[in-house]
Amino acid sequence: MMRFFHEIVRSIPILVSGIFLSSYLMFGEGIDDSVRTAAQNGVQAFLQSIPQGAEMKYGFHGRQELSSVTAGAPVRMYTLQDDSLRVGILPGKDYLVALEEWRVPVMVGGEARALLTVTRVDGHLKIVQMGGAELAQEFAAFDRLHPNKRKILLRLFGLHCDFMIIPPSGGGNADDGAIFPLRSARVAFPGKGFEAHKSNSFRHILPIIRQKLLERPDLNQRGNH
């Protein structure tokens, strides 16, 4: 199985805690444009670093595709406040933490081939990774089922898995949205009834995640991934 990401450069993103989704929805479009521009401006340098003949490992059908790529719509990443979640689940508490990190699809002819990781480095938006061909295909399948929907990606680093969240329309907190387990999440949580393309409530999933964290005290969202 292809590794989730092939690391060319590794950077530790900055955590932005206490951000509510209403603020994200208000300012998200502007930052999305900036992220997309950074991705478009920097993608060719990463593409040219792909060894001759290794294009398929990155999701491309041939080297001829590299010259025609465009940056797709960015998806901002979130994670969870592990320590607070281990203590207990409190009504009304926001356990989501927004990251200064985005996944940006690399598009060829309207199809996602791979993913770029864009984050802030010394105050500037830069591409730090490229890869994730399998996840890019999941992004594309998700978009076909939920066209024109703003989405965010919940990454559980210690468990190496992802959930996609569609925020509630009109604002609100991210944990009020519909959450969909991606393939990695269904593998990480066997027997929990997670199904492809079936939405769950965040409050339903949170106790399941908490139980897994309690079973694995060695896991840390940023330290073991």
Side-chain angles (χ1 to χ4, degrees), residues 208-220:
I208 297 173
I209 296 174
R210 179 175 183 268
Q211 183 59 41
K212 178 71 75 170
L213 293 175
L214 292 175
E215 293 171 359
R216 294 286 307 277
D218 57 304
L219 294 179
N220 178 277

Side-chain angles (χ1 to χ4, degrees), residues 158-215:
L159 296 171
H160 305 282
C161 68
D162 302 285
F163 296 82
M164 197 74 83
I165 299 176
I166 295 179
S169 59
N173 290 345
D175 53 19
D176 292 326
I179 182 167
F180 299 81
L182 298 184
R183 189 189 66 82
S184 57
R186 300 195 298 273
V187 170
F189 294 91
K192 298 301 182 181
F194 291 168
E195 298 179 22
H197 312 306
K198 181 179 178 180
S199 67
N200 299 263
S201 71
F202 190 76
R203 293 301 170 182
H204 168 72
I205 285 181
L206 203 57
I208 297 173
I209 296 174
R210 179 175 183 268
Q211 183 59 41
K212 178 71 75 170
L213 293 175
L214 292 175
E215 293 171 359

Side-chain angles (χ1 to χ4, degrees), residues 11-49:
S11 175
I12 300 175
I14 303 169
L15 294 178
V16 183
S17 61
I19 294 182
F20 294 95
L21 193 61
S22 56
S23 297
Y24 171 69
L25 291 175
M26 184 181 300
F27 302 108
E29 187 172 342
I31 187 63
D32 283 356
D33 288 344
S34 298
V35 171
R36 194 170 191 167
T37 297
Q40 187 66 50
N41 291 342
V43 65
Q44 282 300 326
F46 273 73
L47 294 175
Q48 295 309 313
S49 70

